[in-house]
Amino acid sequence: MTRLLSRAALALVAVLAASVCVIAAIGFLTGALYLWLRSLPLTPAPAALIVGLVLLGIAGLAITAAALIVAGRNRTAPAGGGLLAAGLAARAVCEAAQATEAHPYGAASLALLAGLALGSSPDMQEIIKAALRAREP
């Protein structure tokens, strides 16, 4: 039993180390893309926008790949993009609810930190207000 636990611990350490390396690599690649765009005749705002859009595109591709892998395992492919988005949203809500139930203090701490971050930034407050105004009929 202890041998199994030690192997699991070593595997966890390896995964964590690899995750840190991947996060650092993404940071450096993002910074390099931004600096390259800044070397072109671009102001900081469009360069940051392009970098953000590239990252969102990569995230979208990763989510789509994950959905296709899950759909392949279930042998049922989603009928359309709306069903795919709804299925992923439902899965995310279930995962978030389970994580919140399993770690209520962590969830409360995360909500507190998010509230502090959003509450301390006037720019973020304006963005949220504008988004809420846009949703009103």
Side-chain angles (χ1 to χ4, degrees), residues 64-133:
T64 302
L68 291 175
I69 290 169
V70 169
R73 286 187 183 161
N74 293 337
R75 300 285 184 234
T76 57
L83 290 178
L84 176 65
L88 289 174
R91 177 73 183 228
V93 168
C94 288
E95 293 289 330
Q98 288 174 353
T100 302
E101 288 174 1
H103 308 286
Y105 295 116
S109 300
L110 185 61
L112 175 68
L113 288 175
L116 288 173
L118 292 175
S120 65
S121 172
D123 293 334
M124 285 303 293
Q125 291 174 5
E126 290 302 318
I127 291 170
I128 291 170
K129 286 178 187 175
L132 291 174
R133 275 189 236 119

Side-chain angles (χ1 to χ4, degrees), residues 2-27:
T2 58
R3 186 173 169 156
L4 177 66
L5 288 176
S6 64
R7 283 186 180 179
L10 286 174
L12 180 62
V13 168
V15 168
L16 289 175
S19 298
V20 168
C21 291
V22 168
I23 290 170
I26 289 170

